[in-house]
Amino acid sequence: MESHTTRPFVRDIGFIGLGAMGAHMARHIAGAGFNLHVHDTNRETLERFAALGASVCSTPKAVGDAADAVLVCLPTPDIVERVALGENGIAHGARAKIYVDHSTTGPSVARKVAEALAERQITALDGPLAGGMRGAEAGTLSVMISGEEKAFSALRDVFDCYGRNVVHVGDRVGQGQALKLINNMIVGANLVVAAEAILFGIKYGLAAETIIEMLNASTARSFVTEDLLEKRILDRQFDFGFRLELMCKDLRLCVSEAEAAGAPMMVSALAKQFYELAHAHGNATQDMTVVVRELEKAFGVSIERRV
Protein backbone atom coordinates (compact mmCIF):
# COMPACT_ATOMS: atom_id res chain seq x y z
CA MET A 1 0.00 0.00 0.00
CA GLU A 2 1.18 3.51 -0.75
CA SER A 3 2.06 5.76 2.14
CA HIS A 4 1.25 9.44 2.21
CA THR A 5 4.93 10.14 1.64
CA THR A 6 4.51 8.97 -1.98
CA ARG A 7 1.23 10.70 -2.83
CA PRO A 8 -0.49 14.07 -2.29
CA PHE A 9 -1.48 14.63 1.33
CA VAL A 10 -4.31 16.80 2.61
CA ARG A 11 -4.28 18.07 6.20
CA ASP A 12 -7.41 20.26 6.57
CA ILE A 13 -10.54 18.13 6.29
CA GLY A 14 -14.16 19.27 6.43
CA PHE A 15 -16.97 16.97 7.53
CA ILE A 16 -20.69 17.74 7.22
CA GLY A 17 -23.32 15.42 8.68
CA LEU A 18 -22.45 14.20 12.17
CA GLY A 19 -25.26 11.69 12.54
CA ALA A 20 -25.25 8.00 13.41
CA MET A 21 -22.48 7.24 10.91
CA GLY A 22 -20.79 10.58 10.35
CA ALA A 23 -20.07 11.31 14.01
CA HIS A 24 -17.99 8.16 14.36
CA MET A 25 -16.19 8.74 11.06
CA ALA A 26 -15.34 12.34 11.95
CA ARG A 27 -14.14 11.22 15.38
CA HIS A 28 -11.68 8.82 13.74
CA ILE A 29 -10.42 11.59 11.47
CA ALA A 30 -9.84 13.91 14.42
CA GLY A 31 -8.11 11.12 16.30
CA ALA A 32 -5.70 10.61 13.42
CA GLY A 33 -4.39 14.16 13.77
CA PHE A 34 -6.08 15.91 10.86
CA ASN A 35 -7.33 19.48 11.24
CA LEU A 36 -11.09 18.90 11.30
CA HIS A 37 -13.73 21.49 10.34
CA VAL A 38 -17.32 20.40 10.98
CA HIS A 39 -20.90 21.46 10.38
CA ASP A 40 -24.19 19.91 11.46
CA THR A 41 -27.70 21.05 12.38
CA ASN A 42 -27.37 19.53 15.87
CA ARG A 43 -25.82 22.08 18.23
CA GLU A 44 -25.02 19.55 20.98
CA THR A 45 -23.11 17.39 18.51
CA LEU A 46 -21.10 20.40 17.38
CA GLU A 47 -20.24 21.21 20.98
CA ARG A 48 -18.90 17.68 21.47
CA PHE A 49 -16.66 18.03 18.44
CA ALA A 50 -15.46 21.44 19.56
CA ALA A 51 -14.36 19.76 22.79
CA LEU A 52 -12.34 17.32 20.66
CA GLY A 53 -10.53 20.24 19.05
CA ALA A 54 -12.52 20.48 15.84
CA SER A 55 -13.30 23.84 14.29
CA VAL A 56 -17.07 24.43 14.19
CA CYS A 57 -18.41 26.10 11.03
CA SER A 58 -21.77 27.86 10.76
CA THR A 59 -22.56 26.81 7.17
CA PRO A 60 -21.39 24.31 4.53
CA LYS A 61 -19.82 27.26 2.71
CA ALA A 62 -17.77 28.05 5.81
CA VAL A 63 -16.47 24.47 5.77
CA GLY A 64 -15.55 24.97 2.12
CA ASP A 65 -13.69 28.13 3.11
CA ALA A 66 -11.67 26.33 5.79
CA ALA A 67 -10.87 22.89 4.36
CA ASP A 68 -9.02 21.55 1.33
CA ALA A 69 -11.41 18.59 1.09
CA VAL A 70 -14.98 18.31 2.36
CA LEU A 71 -16.68 15.01 3.18
CA VAL A 72 -20.43 14.72 3.64
CA CYS A 73 -22.54 11.93 5.13
CA LEU A 74 -26.20 12.93 4.87
CA PRO A 75 -29.56 11.12 4.90
CA THR A 76 -31.23 12.03 1.59
CA PRO A 77 -30.32 13.19 -1.93
CA ASP A 78 -32.15 16.52 -1.60
CA ILE A 79 -30.16 17.41 1.52
CA VAL A 80 -26.94 16.44 -0.27
CA GLU A 81 -27.77 18.73 -3.19
CA ARG A 82 -28.61 21.62 -0.87
CA VAL A 83 -25.42 21.21 1.18
CA ALA A 84 -23.23 20.89 -1.89
CA LEU A 85 -24.83 23.40 -4.25
CA GLY A 86 -27.17 25.62 -2.22
CA GLU A 87 -26.81 29.32 -1.54
CA ASN A 88 -24.50 28.63 1.42
CA GLY A 89 -23.22 25.37 -0.02
CA ILE A 90 -19.76 23.88 -0.33
CA ALA A 91 -19.59 25.00 -3.96
CA HIS A 92 -19.28 28.60 -2.81
CA GLY A 93 -16.37 27.96 -0.46
CA ALA A 94 -13.09 29.63 -1.32
CA ARG A 95 -10.70 26.78 -0.48
CA ALA A 96 -12.18 23.31 -0.99
CA LYS A 97 -10.84 21.46 -4.04
CA ILE A 98 -12.16 17.94 -3.37
CA TYR A 99 -15.68 16.90 -2.36
CA VAL A 100 -16.58 13.39 -1.19
CA ASP A 101 -20.16 12.19 -0.78
CA HIS A 102 -20.38 9.28 1.67
CA SER A 103 -24.20 9.39 1.53
CA THR A 104 -26.32 7.06 -0.60
CA THR A 105 -27.76 9.34 -3.26
CA GLY A 106 -27.77 7.19 -6.39
CA PRO A 107 -25.64 7.66 -9.53
CA SER A 108 -27.84 10.35 -11.10
CA VAL A 109 -27.54 12.79 -8.19
CA ALA A 110 -23.83 11.99 -7.81
CA ARG A 111 -23.23 12.95 -11.45
CA LYS A 112 -25.40 16.08 -11.21
CA VAL A 113 -23.52 17.35 -8.17
CA ALA A 114 -20.13 16.45 -9.67
CA GLU A 115 -20.86 18.36 -12.87
CA ALA A 116 -21.96 21.46 -10.95
CA LEU A 117 -18.91 21.35 -8.67
CA ALA A 118 -16.58 20.93 -11.64
CA GLU A 119 -17.70 24.36 -12.80
CA ARG A 120 -16.29 25.68 -9.52
CA GLN A 121 -13.01 23.72 -10.00
CA ILE A 122 -13.96 21.23 -7.27
CA THR A 123 -13.33 17.54 -7.97
CA ALA A 124 -16.11 15.25 -6.77
CA LEU A 125 -15.85 11.67 -5.56
CA ASP A 126 -18.72 9.48 -4.46
CA GLY A 127 -17.88 7.08 -1.64
CA PRO A 128 -20.89 5.26 -0.21
CA LEU A 129 -20.36 2.99 2.76
CA ALA A 130 -21.18 -0.50 3.97
CA GLY A 131 -20.83 -1.85 7.48
CA GLY A 132 -23.48 0.08 9.38
CA MET A 133 -23.12 1.96 12.64
CA ARG A 134 -20.96 -0.76 14.16
CA GLY A 135 -18.51 -0.48 11.29
CA ALA A 136 -18.43 3.29 11.60
CA GLU A 137 -17.82 3.09 15.34
CA ALA A 138 -15.05 0.51 14.95
CA GLY A 139 -13.48 2.20 11.93
CA THR A 140 -13.98 -0.92 9.79
CA LEU A 141 -16.31 0.34 7.07
CA SER A 142 -16.19 -0.72 3.44
CA VAL A 143 -15.71 2.45 1.39
CA MET A 144 -16.60 2.34 -2.32
CA ILE A 145 -14.94 5.32 -4.00
CA SER A 146 -15.44 6.30 -7.62
CA GLY A 147 -14.17 9.29 -9.53
CA GLU A 148 -10.75 10.74 -10.31
CA GLU A 149 -8.01 8.44 -9.05
CA LYS A 150 -5.67 11.34 -8.21
CA ALA A 151 -8.26 12.78 -5.82
CA PHE A 152 -8.82 9.34 -4.30
CA SER A 153 -5.09 8.97 -3.72
CA ALA A 154 -4.87 12.40 -2.09
CA LEU A 155 -7.48 11.38 0.50
CA ARG A 156 -6.57 7.74 0.98
CA ASP A 157 -5.14 8.38 4.46
CA VAL A 158 -8.43 10.01 5.45
CA PHE A 159 -10.50 7.09 4.18
CA ASP A 160 -8.25 4.67 6.06
CA CYS A 161 -9.22 6.39 9.32
CA TYR A 162 -12.66 4.78 9.24
CA GLY A 163 -12.44 2.18 6.49
CA ARG A 164 -10.94 -1.29 6.60
CA ASN A 165 -11.86 -2.13 3.00
CA VAL A 166 -11.24 1.03 0.97
CA VAL A 167 -11.46 0.48 -2.79
CA HIS A 168 -11.35 2.77 -5.81
CA VAL A 169 -14.08 0.98 -7.74
CA GLY A 170 -14.11 3.09 -10.90
CA ASP A 171 -13.14 6.35 -12.60
CA ARG A 172 -16.73 7.46 -13.31
CA VAL A 173 -18.59 9.36 -10.60
CA GLY A 174 -21.68 7.35 -9.71
CA GLN A 175 -20.12 3.90 -9.97
CA GLY A 176 -19.63 3.74 -6.21
CA GLN A 177 -23.27 4.71 -5.76
CA ALA A 178 -24.38 1.93 -8.09
CA LEU A 179 -22.35 -0.61 -6.14
CA LYS A 180 -23.85 0.53 -2.82
CA LEU A 181 -27.39 0.23 -4.19
CA ILE A 182 -26.56 -3.28 -5.40
CA ASN A 183 -25.28 -4.19 -1.93
CA ASN A 184 -28.38 -2.92 -0.15
CA MET A 185 -30.76 -4.51 -2.61
CA ILE A 186 -29.11 -7.91 -2.14
CA VAL A 187 -29.33 -7.57 1.65
CA GLY A 188 -32.93 -6.37 1.50
CA ALA A 189 -34.15 -9.05 -0.90
CA ASN A 190 -32.19 -11.76 0.91
CA LEU A 191 -33.83 -10.88 4.22
CA VAL A 192 -37.31 -11.17 2.72
CA VAL A 193 -36.62 -14.51 1.01
CA ALA A 194 -34.81 -16.01 4.00
CA ALA A 195 -37.52 -14.93 6.45
CA GLU A 196 -40.26 -16.34 4.21
CA ALA A 197 -38.49 -19.68 3.89
CA ILE A 198 -37.81 -19.93 7.63
CA LEU A 199 -41.43 -19.08 8.43
CA PHE A 200 -42.50 -21.93 6.14
CA GLY A 201 -40.26 -24.26 8.15
CA ILE A 202 -41.75 -23.05 11.42
CA LYS A 203 -45.26 -23.65 10.08
CA TYR A 204 -44.11 -27.18 9.27
CA GLY A 205 -43.13 -27.73 12.91
CA LEU A 206 -39.39 -27.03 12.81
CA ALA A 207 -37.77 -24.88 15.50
CA ALA A 208 -36.55 -21.53 14.19
CA GLU A 209 -33.16 -21.95 15.85
CA THR A 210 -32.73 -25.37 14.27
CA ILE A 211 -33.52 -24.04 10.81
CA ILE A 212 -31.11 -21.14 11.14
CA GLU A 213 -28.34 -23.30 12.64
CA MET A 214 -28.56 -25.72 9.72
CA LEU A 215 -28.75 -22.93 7.12
CA ASN A 216 -25.58 -21.40 8.55
CA ALA A 217 -23.82 -24.76 8.23
CA SER A 218 -25.04 -25.17 4.66
CA THR A 219 -24.97 -23.47 1.27
CA ALA A 220 -27.81 -21.06 2.13
CA ARG A 221 -25.78 -19.17 4.73
CA SER A 222 -25.30 -15.43 4.26
CA PHE A 223 -24.86 -12.22 6.23
CA VAL A 224 -28.64 -12.18 6.62
CA THR A 225 -28.83 -15.65 8.18
CA GLU A 226 -25.63 -15.36 10.23
CA ASP A 227 -26.12 -11.84 11.56
CA LEU A 228 -29.61 -10.44 11.15
CA LEU A 229 -31.56 -13.63 11.76
CA GLU A 230 -29.38 -15.64 14.15
CA LYS A 231 -27.93 -12.83 16.26
CA ARG A 232 -30.90 -10.46 16.30
CA ILE A 233 -34.32 -11.50 15.07
CA LEU A 234 -34.17 -14.96 16.65
CA ASP A 235 -33.94 -13.16 20.02
CA ARG A 236 -36.52 -10.56 18.92
CA GLN A 237 -33.95 -7.79 18.62
CA PHE A 238 -34.73 -5.56 15.67
CA ASP A 239 -31.64 -3.39 16.01
CA PHE A 240 -29.34 -3.64 12.99
CA GLY A 241 -28.99 0.16 13.10
CA PHE A 242 -30.43 1.24 9.75
CA ARG A 243 -33.82 2.95 9.65
CA LEU A 244 -36.55 1.50 7.47
CA GLU A 245 -37.15 4.87 5.76
CA LEU A 246 -33.52 4.92 4.62
CA MET A 247 -33.68 1.34 3.38
CA CYS A 248 -36.82 2.19 1.40
CA LYS A 249 -35.02 5.19 -0.08
CA ASP A 250 -32.09 3.02 -1.17
CA LEU A 251 -34.29 0.30 -2.67
CA ARG A 252 -36.33 2.87 -4.58
CA LEU A 253 -33.14 4.42 -5.92
CA CYS A 254 -31.84 1.01 -6.96
CA VAL A 255 -34.94 0.07 -8.92
CA SER A 256 -35.30 3.49 -10.59
CA GLU A 257 -31.61 3.77 -11.51
CA ALA A 258 -31.65 0.20 -12.87
CA GLU A 259 -34.68 0.97 -15.02
CA ALA A 260 -33.00 4.09 -16.35
CA ALA A 261 -29.96 1.98 -17.27
CA GLY A 262 -32.12 -0.57 -19.08
CA ALA A 263 -31.68 -3.23 -16.39
CA PRO A 264 -35.16 -4.33 -15.24
CA MET A 265 -34.85 -5.74 -11.69
CA MET A 266 -38.09 -7.69 -11.52
CA VAL A 267 -37.44 -9.82 -8.44
CA SER A 268 -35.82 -6.88 -6.65
CA ALA A 269 -38.82 -4.68 -7.39
CA LEU A 270 -41.07 -7.26 -5.75
CA ALA A 271 -38.84 -7.53 -2.67
CA LYS A 272 -38.94 -3.74 -2.35
CA GLN A 273 -42.71 -3.87 -1.90
CA PHE A 274 -42.40 -5.64 1.44
CA TYR A 275 -40.39 -2.72 2.78
CA GLU A 276 -42.91 -0.28 1.31
CA LEU A 277 -45.66 -2.18 3.15
CA ALA A 278 -43.80 -1.95 6.46
CA HIS A 279 -43.24 1.75 5.81
CA ALA A 280 -46.94 2.31 5.06
CA HIS A 281 -47.81 0.66 8.38
CA GLY A 282 -46.04 3.40 10.31
CA ASN A 283 -42.59 1.88 10.81
CA ALA A 284 -40.54 4.53 8.97
CA THR A 285 -38.26 5.31 11.91
CA GLN A 286 -37.98 1.71 13.10
CA ASP A 287 -35.09 -0.57 12.15
CA MET A 288 -35.25 -1.99 8.62
CA THR A 289 -35.45 -5.53 10.05
CA VAL A 290 -39.07 -4.85 11.11
CA VAL A 291 -39.97 -5.99 7.60
CA VAL A 292 -39.80 -9.49 9.09
CA ARG A 293 -42.76 -8.65 11.33
CA GLU A 294 -44.88 -7.98 8.24
CA LEU A 295 -44.10 -11.48 7.00
CA GLU A 296 -44.75 -12.98 10.43
CA LYS A 297 -48.24 -11.45 10.43
CA ALA A 298 -48.98 -13.10 7.10
CA PHE A 299 -47.73 -16.51 8.27
CA GLY A 300 -49.22 -16.35 11.76
CA VAL A 301 -45.95 -17.49 13.39
CA SER A 302 -42.75 -15.76 14.56
CA ILE A 303 -39.03 -16.32 14.11
CA GLU A 304 -38.03 -16.79 17.75
CA ARG A 305 -36.45 -19.34 20.03
CA ARG A 306 -38.76 -21.97 21.44
CA VAL A 307 -37.36 -21.62 24.96
Side-chain angles (χ1 to χ4, degrees), residues 196-215:
E196 274 192 336
I198 291 167
L199 287 165
F200 156 63
I202 295 169
K203 291 282 285 189
Y204 210 76
L206 291 164
E209 60 266 36
T210 300
I211 299 171
I212 294 173
E213 179 183 357
M214 292 306 295
L215 291 176

Side-chain angles (χ1 to χ4, degrees), residues 118-275:
E119 295 177 0
R120 309 283 299 191
Q121 288 74 54
I122 299 174
T123 300
L125 300 173
D126 62 300
L129 312 162
M133 278 197 304
R134 288 182 299 165
E137 185 174 7
T140 58
L141 291 167
S142 291
V143 188
M144 314 166 200
I145 304 287
S146 65
E148 184 183 288
E149 188 169 8
K150 182 179 178 181
F152 166 76
S153 179
L155 294 181
R156 179 58 193 266
D157 291 297
V158 180
F159 301 144
D160 285 340
C161 293
Y162 45 82
R164 180 172 60 189
N165 183 36
V166 178
V167 178
H168 182 242
V169 302
D171 294 324
R172 290 167 46 202
V173 170
Q175 289 177 314
Q177 291 291 334
L179 183 53
K180 171 60 185 294
L181 295 180
I182 292 166
N183 179 83
N184 281 18
M185 179 56 80
I186 290 173
V187 171
N190 192 2
L191 179 58
V192 169
V193 171
E196 274 192 336
I198 291 167
L199 287 165
F200 156 63
I202 295 169
K203 291 282 285 189
Y204 210 76
L206 291 164
E209 60 266 36
T210 300
I211 299 171
I212 294 173
E213 179 183 357
M214 292 306 295
L215 291 176
N216 286 336
S218 306
T219 53
R221 70 184 180 276
S222 68
F223 169 78
V224 163
T225 61
E226 292 180 332
D227 189 293
L228 299 186
L229 287 162
E230 182 174 18
K231 297 178 181 179
R232 301 170 189 279
I233 293 168
L234 195 57
D235 294 312
R236 310 310 289 167
Q237 297 176 13
F238 297 84
D239 63 349
F240 174 55
F242 191 55
R243 297 197 308 275
L244 178 69
E245 60 186 347
L246 296 179
M247 187 60 158
C248 283
K249 180 260 294 182
D250 291 357
L251 300 185
R252 292 166 189 156
L253 280 172
C254 186
V255 171
S256 64
E257 293 277 3
E259 289 178 350
M265 302 182 74
M266 293 171 283
V267 174
S268 298
L270 178 59
K272 178 179 78 73
Q273 296 308 311
F274 291 92
Y275 293 87

